[in-house]
Amino acid sequence: MENSDVFDIRKEAKDLRGQSKINKLLEGAGIANNIFRNGEGDEWTKKALAWVLIDLVKEFISLGNISNAEQYYNKLLQIDFYESDDIISNQIQFLKPKIDVQYKEIKQAEELSKANKHSEAFSLMKQLIASGKLKPMHHESYGWIIYRYIKSEINTLDSVSVRTYLRDYMNLKNDRPSMLHSMILNFGLNYSKEHSDFNLLNFFNLWGPENLRYEDKTNSEHEGNNIPSLISRICRELIDKDYSFDVAEFIDKVKLESSDWGFTSYETIDLLREPFFWKTYNYQKNKQWDELWKSFDFYVENYSIAPASEWHSKILSLAERNMTEANAWRFFNFFKGWHPSLLTSHDWKDVEKDDKTYKSIGVKALKKAFEHLKTNQETDLNWLIQAYEEGINKCPENEWLKRELAILYQKNGDIDKSITIYKKLALELYDKPYYWNEFSSLVKNNEDLHLSMLCKAALIEQNDDFLGDVRLALAVVFERKSLIQEAGIELNLYKENRQKNQWKIGADFDELTSKINLVEGSNTEKYKELKGMSEEFAFNDLPWISLVYIDSFKDKKGRTRWVFSDGKEIEISPLKKFLNLSNINLGDVLNFKLKESVKEIEGPERSWLPSKKIKQFKPLIYRITELEKWSTFENEYAIVDYINQDKNVIHAITFSNQEIFFKSNSKDFKKNDLISGKRIQKKDGDAFRTELVNIQKESNNQPIYEIEPKIAVVDGVNHSKSLFHFVVNSKIDGIVRFNETELRPNEGDFIEVRLLSKKDRKKGIVRFKVITVNETEKVNDTLLKDSIGEIELKYKTSYGTREYFELNEADQEFLVPDFAFMGDFYIPQFLLKKHEIKSNCFGKIKVINDGSKWKVIDLEILDR
């Protein structure tokens, strides 16, 4: 059914009277209500229903049934139009006095109220109440009379009177929510600001939070000024006056998040958190420190409930800024109660301000909480550990968070997790002395490993000022391991540095020197001897990579660098001193543990090409192997293609179709020799080029037959140049000279070839080198085929190209055809002369694909 059906039924009812008319109109009203029940109603359906109800009211009035007329009149008033309809509104006003016998008196009371004659208005209303004539339909008018009176007399009425009038209003049965109901709440809010004995919270609960309208929940604007919503002003007053209430229950009652207007739960709770922030901020601004600390405590007890929100984070930031120095101890428990799980994604982002970058509040909060643990013992660390884990997830590049989390794990008794973190940090911090010193504290139960890490820290720290604690720790472990001289050296170095800087010498030193004599000297060689275990442990999750020594060179600073490669994508060139080897030969294989990174190279300016990413490798540690020289490289075969006699440079093509060059005595090789070697991808700038090392000439040509043969067709033979041309497909073709083979094929013969390719850099094309060529019985139908059809002759004349049938008999007899076609196949003149073809005829041609087009190489006449 549609709203048009309702209008049709109303038309049908016009000619009816009494109960028949009422039944027909009720049918129309039922249809309209069903449309709304199915969620299909619109403004026109509302209008259709309104007119049916107007007709019903009029009919009941005509029958003298005022009670039923009033019932349907009230339903008419309940229709919520998006836009007012003047005709329907006039009908409502027209019907009101006919239904309401007290209409004139109510109207008079309203006019007196609007004219500020409140006593006279109340007198009329009390007469109606006393006589029992004040019906529920009059309650809205009475409510407005109460509101106007208490608003105008707010400064003269005592508290009891105000409460009495508000009680009278609350007992009315007017429609709620409504504008009047919201005005009453607004009055209560304003009244509470000047009268401390008026409990706004109790009044709000009595008023009913569920009666908030959309307008009460949203900000508005007047003459360019922002007007805060009624509910936000209510919340501010509740906060400013320190009302105590259940925040979760309050949010559930207000329920902004469940409205249809797009509010979210964090906006709901921020109605309370925002004013709380400003209240707390003003405590700080006015240096009301006791109130400030109490405010923070009250906040975490009452407002640290889900969800996360902007103002919740601002409260945290305010606490972090103020809980410093003597009050820094307050932050740890505040942060715990604030609930770090409520940190938002935005809270983990650094702040850019005034061309400076400031750490995110998430990171600052974690670090401040961590600082507390340096001087205080705490038993419950799980909540902080979880916050750090989330912080690392949000800020994966922050090494400080990772190091501090490792310490938290250690404090919490989970040493294995601490060690796991430090192993992962090894790739970033392996060259930092503090890393090895911190790591050593995690492995004290393994004395040898603990000592090795201390040695590693001492070996790489260049500034002795930073080694005080390390030297004392080394002395302790050396003494325990009966390395008394080494312990004495550490203590002596410690003392000399403290005295040089005029620093205080600690009690730990005095205790150690009571049993260990100071010794002059250095433990550097001892560090080198012992550091290996720490490196093996830190990097033991990395694989060993076998690399071969392939070259050496001097860098720009004149330092010797040795080049190692895996023969594929890895090439490193560490300093000679890094390897600490007295002797190394080309081809020697060493194992390395490597740090892998990616270098991004931008393309040319304004280039549409994406940037290029190149892998880079840095050696961390190494060990010598017993592997045979070059053994980890893959074998590769190649064919000598050209020999530069002047420069003694051999050009060859590998079986993987890479052109290579190497220097050698030109007399040791000749063209087409088969050679073998170990293949490497040698770095050339930011790219790689293929090279062979350990090259030798092969006497056995058997490897050549591992190259996959290809079937080709000979599409041309040039006896004057002593060569023939072949085609494999549209991309592969080549020539074979007579002096390279005993084979003398004819055009159209199939052959089997083995090929290698190289790129002609000057012309930007690929050239193919023939390694073997043989006869074959195999054919490739895509390269050679027969076709049967009519041979149509063509003649070039001064009038253009002409067909055979266009010539007269004399021309047909004496003119020689220049070419012919069979379908799309072009037939050259020499074949026409060879077969003495002078007229169109039926024949068979043999065509060959030269890689780009079909060419007729022979024909046979089937019928002249």
Side-chain angles (χ1 to χ4, degrees):
M1 304 294 282
E2 300 178 354
N3 54 46
S4 60
D5 296 318
V6 181
F7 284 109
D8 290 341
I9 288 175
R10 180 173 176 254
K11 289 180 182 178
E12 294 174 16
K14 281 186 177 180
D15 299 327
L16 302 175
R17 293 290 178 271
Q19 192 61 45
S20 297
K21 184 171 185 175
I22 290 171
N23 290 340
K24 179 60 69 173
L25 292 171
L26 288 174
E27 179 186 347
I31 292 172
N33 284 321
N34 282 334
I35 293 173
F36 282 115
R37 198 174 295 114
N38 294 329
E40 300 172 358
D42 58 11
E43 197 75 355
W44 279 104
T45 309
K46 292 179 183 178
K47 291 181 179 181
L49 176 61
W51 281 110
V52 169
L53 293 174
I54 289 170
D55 289 348
L56 277 169
V57 172
K58 289 179 178 178
E59 187 64 23
F60 279 120
I61 289 173
S62 69
L63 295 173
N65 191 340
I66 301 302
S67 176
N68 281 356
E70 182 179 352
Q71 174 187 348
Y72 286 102
Y73 182 78
N74 288 335
K75 290 183 178 181
L76 175 62
L77 295 178
Q78 293 171 6
I79 298 176
D80 183 19
F81 290 102
Y82 294 123
E83 297 180 2
S84 62
D85 186 302
D86 291 340
I87 299 176
I88 293 175
S89 297
N90 291 335
Q91 287 292 314
I92 291 172
Q93 293 302 316
F94 169 77
L95 292 172
K96 187 170 185 177
K98 296 181 180 297
I99 294 172
D100 184 5
V101 294
Q102 282 75 41
Y103 176 75
K104 290 183 179 180
E105 295 167 277
I106 296 296
K107 189 71 174 176
Q108 183 182 0
E110 286 181 337
E111 295 300 327
L112 289 169
S113 173
K114 292 176 181 178
N116 290 326
K117 297 179 179 180
H118 301 294
S119 296
E120 293 91 331
F122 272 114
S123 178
L124 280 175
M125 298 303 291
K126 287 178 180 177
Q127 290 176 22
L128 291 173
I129 293 171
S131 61
K133 295 179 179 179
L134 189 71
K135 298 179 181 179
M137 67 183 300
H138 304 139
H139 285 194
E140 181 80 4
S141 297
Y142 186 30
W144 278 109
I145 290 171
I146 292 173
Y147 170 72
R148 294 189 194 101
Y149 177 58
I150 60 176
K151 182 182 179 184
S152 65
E153 301 298 325
I154 189 172
N155 295 322
T156 59
L157 290 172
D158 59 36
S159 179
V160 174
S161 297
V162 171
R163 294 170 194 275
T164 300
Y165 283 115
L166 289 175
R167 180 204 63 194
D168 290 345
Y169 169 80
M170 296 303 293
N171 288 331
L172 296 177
K173 293 183 174 59
N174 57 312
D175 289 339
R176 303 171 187 179
S178 68
M179 178 184 290
L180 170 61
H181 201 54
S182 297
M183 297 294 281
I184 289 291
L185 177 60
N186 192 60
F187 172 85
L189 167 63
N190 293 328
Y191 189 78
S192 70
K193 292 179 179 180
E194 304 298 331
H195 299 81
S196 59
D197 61 337
F198 184 84
N199 191 307
L200 178 62
L201 180 63
N202 288 344
F203 178 71
F204 181 56
N205 287 330
L206 180 65
W207 180 89
E210 70 278 1
N211 290 320
L212 287 165
R213 302 173 303 145
Y214 171 74
E215 294 83 358
D216 302 329
K217 301 174 182 178
T218 53
N219 296 338
S220 58
E221 188 177 297
H222 179 67
E223 295 180 354
N225 297 318
N226 183 54
I227 309 298
S229 67
L230 175 57
I231 184 58
S232 69
R233 289 183 280 119
I234 292 289
C235 290
R236 181 172 293 277
E237 185 67 11
L238 295 179
I239 296 300
D240 288 346
K241 293 294 178 62
D242 292 324
Y243 282 96
S244 179
F245 55 93
D246 187 316
V247 175
E249 182 181 348
F250 178 87
I251 293 172
D252 185 59
K253 287 180 179 179
V254 174
K255 287 187 177 177
L256 290 187
E257 65 274 20
S258 62
S259 72
D260 296 327
W261 302 303
F263 294 98
T264 58
S265 54
Y266 79 84
E267 288 175 318
T268 307
I269 195 168
D270 269 6
L271 292 175
L272 298 169
R273 286 172 172 166
E274 180 179 1
F276 197 101
F277 169 84
W278 290 115
K279 180 180 179 181
T280 307
Y281 176 82
N282 285 326
Y283 285 148
Q284 170 227 295
K285 184 178 179 181
N286 298 324
K287 299 183 179 180
Q288 296 171 272
W289 303 117
D290 288 342
E291 288 80 359
L292 179 65
W293 308 135
K294 290 176 183 177
S295 182
F296 282 131
D297 291 341
F298 184 83
Y299 183 86
V300 296
E301 290 173 8
N302 295 276
Y303 293 91
S304 290
I305 60 174
S309 74
E310 175 187 2
W311 290 99
H312 191 52
S313 298
K314 287 186 176 181
I315 287 282
L316 174 64
S317 184
L318 187 65
E320 192 275 332
R321 290 198 305 272
N322 284 281
M323 294 178 180
T324 58
E325 298 178 351
N327 288 293
W329 62 272
R330 298 177 182 275
F331 187 78
F332 187 85
N333 285 327
F334 170 83
F335 188 39
K336 180 180 179 181
W338 184 91
H339 296 318
S341 61
L342 297 182
L343 285 163
T344 67
S345 295
H346 184 76
D347 294 333
W348 295 108
K349 295 179 180 177
D350 290 344
V351 178
E352 303 288 339
K353 187 177 180 181
D354 300 329
D355 296 326
K356 294 182 179 179
T357 301
Y358 299 91
K359 292 186 183 300
S360 67
I361 181 57
V363 170
K364 288 195 291 186
L366 290 182
K367 293 187 75 64
K368 179 157 284 191
F370 183 83
E371 287 296 315
H372 171 82
L373 297 176
K374 291 182 178 180
T375 54
N376 297 273
Q377 294 292 328
E378 298 287 347
T379 55
D380 180 14
L381 296 178
N382 289 325
W383 66 272
L384 186 56
I385 286 173
Q386 291 173 5
Y388 262 88
E389 290 171 340
E390 178 63 15
I392 291 170
N393 181 49
K394 298 292 186 182
C395 310
E397 303 302 319
N398 193 314
E399 79 170 64
W400 281 98
L401 292 185
K402 296 173 184 176
R403 291 163 62 192
E404 288 166 0
L405 177 57
I407 293 173
L408 289 177
Y409 280 142
Q410 182 186 28
K411 287 179 177 291
N412 216 34
D414 202 337
I415 298 297
D416 289 342
K417 285 187 176 180
S418 298
I419 291 173
T420 298
I421 288 178
Y422 264 81
K423 281 188 173 183
K424 290 180 179 179
L425 284 170
L427 289 178
E428 304 301 324
L429 306 178
Y430 64 91
D431 57 351
K432 301 292 190 293
Y434 65 78
Y435 165 78
W436 295 102
N437 187 21
E438 291 172 6
F439 203 172
S440 71
S441 68
L442 302 177
V443 294
K444 284 185 176 180
N445 60 332
N446 184 333
E447 193 168 78
D448 289 338
L449 182 57
H450 176 57
L451 174 60
S452 179
M453 289 188 176
L454 290 172
C455 288
K456 179 70 175 178
L459 185 63
I460 60 179
E461 179 57 77
Q462 301 299 310
N463 189 340
D464 209 49
D465 291 349
F466 300 135
L467 282 175
D469 292 341
V470 174
R471 296 215 182 279
L472 290 178
L474 279 167
V476 170
V477 184
F478 278 142
E479 189 271 335
R480 267 204 308 265
K481 296 183 72 65
S482 299
L483 297 170
I484 306 303
Q485 179 174 326
E486 286 80 357
I489 291 173
E490 295 299 331
L491 292 175
N492 185 63
L493 291 171
Y494 172 85
K495 180 181 179 181
E496 287 178 350
N497 181 258
R498 306 299 281 189
Q499 289 177 338
K500 180 190 75 172
N501 291 298
Q502 297 182 348
W503 291 341
K504 182 181 178 180
I505 294 178
D508 291 344
F509 174 82
D510 294 334
E511 182 181 345
L512 287 167
T513 53
S514 66
K515 52 185 176 181
I516 302 172
N517 295 324
L518 302 185
V519 179
E520 292 187 357
S522 169
N523 280 329
T524 300
E525 293 306 314
K526 196 66 175 178
Y527 301 155
K528 293 178 180 179
E529 175 188 335
L530 298 176
K531 72 180 180 70
M533 180 183 287
S534 65
E535 295 171 334
E536 290 273 359
F537 184 79
F539 303 129
N540 69 354
D541 291 335
L542 293 175
W544 286 105
I545 306 295
S546 295
L547 302 180
V548 178
Y549 173 45
I550 63 170
D551 200 0
S552 65
F553 66 93
K554 296 280 187 180
D555 64 15
K556 293 180 180 179
K557 295 182 179 181
R559 300 171 300 183
T560 299
R561 290 186 175 274
W562 287 351
V563 183
F564 292 83
S565 170
D566 71 341
K568 298 174 184 176
E569 64 172 0
I570 300 176
E571 183 176 303
I572 60 173
S573 51
L575 290 170
K576 181 178 179 181
K577 66 178 183 179
F578 168 82
L579 292 131
N580 196 29
L581 298 174
S582 58
N583 186 34
I584 189 169
N585 298 304
L586 289 177
D588 285 349
V589 182
L590 276 66
N591 281 343
F592 289 85
K593 293 203 173 188
L594 304 172
K595 175 187 176 182
E596 180 179 338
S597 60
V598 176
K599 177 183 178 183
E600 192 164 344
I601 301 176
E602 297 294 337
E605 188 176 354
R606 295 186 300 276
S607 171
W608 57 268
L609 293 172
S611 58
K612 186 178 181 181
K613 294 183 178 180
I614 296 176
K615 288 183 180 180
Q616 293 184 319
F617 301 90
K618 185 169 185 178
L620 301 170
I621 57 175
Y622 71 93
R623 65 184 180 192
I624 300 171
T625 74
E626 299 297 325
L627 296 175
E628 184 180 344
K629 287 184 178 184
W630 309 106
S631 60
T632 58
F633 285 178
E634 293 182 2
N635 292 323
E636 179 70 280
Y637 292 98
I639 297 293
V640 174
D641 186 48
Y642 173 74
I643 299 174
N644 188 321
Q645 303 285 349
D646 296 333
K647 296 182 179 180
N648 284 328
V649 174
I650 312 299
H651 298 223
I653 304 174
T654 69
F655 280 19
S656 53
N657 295 308
Q658 299 290 323
E659 190 172 18
I660 62 167
F661 311 90
F662 61 93
K663 284 197 170 187
S664 180
N665 189 330
S666 60
K667 296 180 180 179
D668 292 340
F669 297 93
K670 65 178 184 299
K671 189 176 179 180
N672 294 328
D673 274 352
L674 174 65
I675 60 175
S676 66
K678 295 289 188 176
R679 182 180 67 243
I680 63 171
Q681 295 292 108
K682 199 167 186 180
K683 202 164 186 182
D684 186 5
D686 291 323
F688 286 88
R689 69 173 186 273
T690 301
E691 287 192 7
L692 290 188
V693 295
N694 202 26
I695 297 171
Q696 56 188 6
K697 187 162 63 172
E698 292 288 330
S699 57
N700 185 352
N701 286 337
Q702 189 61 36
I704 288 176
Y705 296 98
E706 295 176 8
I707 300 173
E708 182 181 358
K710 300 181 182 302
I711 304 301
V713 67
V714 176
D715 69 326
V717 179
N718 190 325
H719 290 280
S720 62
K721 292 184 179 181
S722 300
L723 56 82
F724 59 86
H725 185 267
F726 65 86
V727 176
V728 175
N729 54 43
S730 61
K731 295 181 179 179
I732 302 175
D733 68 327
I735 61 171
V736 179
R737 300 186 184 281
F738 288 173
N739 62 4
E740 295 174 337
T741 179
E742 295 179 358
L743 200 63
R744 298 294 181 268
N746 295 313
E747 197 173 34
D749 287 350
F750 282 101
I751 57 174
E752 180 185 82
V753 293
R754 287 182 173 84
L755 306 170
L756 295 178
S757 64
K758 65 177 181 178
K759 188 169 184 179
D760 187 326
R761 292 178 175 81
K762 290 183 179 180
K763 295 186 177 181
I765 60 175
V766 176
R767 297 191 181 279
F768 295 91
K769 180 178 180 63
V770 178
I771 307 303
T772 65
V773 55
N774 296 291
E775 294 179 337
T776 182
E777 295 181 358
K778 296 178 181 179
V779 296
N780 184 343
D781 293 335
T782 64
L783 297 175
L784 185 69
K785 64 181 180 180
D786 294 333
S787 181
I788 296 175
E790 184 178 5
I791 298 174
E792 300 177 358
L793 303 180
K794 310 289 182 179
Y795 300 82
K796 293 181 181 179
T797 69
S798 57
Y799 301 104
T801 302
R802 303 183 69 184
E803 303 285 343
Y804 175 77
F805 60 81
E806 295 177 332
L807 304 178
N808 57 38
E809 291 185 4
D811 288 342
Q812 288 178 352
E813 179 68 24
F814 296 106
L815 288 180
V816 177
D818 293 284
F819 59 93
F821 272 97
M822 178 184 289
D824 292 332
F825 297 115
Y826 172 86
I827 303 173
Q829 188 182 54
F830 81 89
L831 285 176
L832 299 177
K833 289 182 177 180
K834 177 181 177 181
H835 294 278
E836 298 180 352
I837 299 175
K838 294 184 178 181
S839 64
N840 289 356
C841 59
F842 193 73
K844 176 180 178 183
I845 58 175
K846 181 178 289 187
V847 292
I848 191 170
N849 192 327
D850 66 0
S852 59
K853 62 183 183 301
W854 289 95
K855 180 176 73 171
V856 178
I857 61 173
D858 201 4
L859 65 78
E860 176 184 353
I861 298 173
L862 299 179
D863 186 2
R864 291 188 186 270

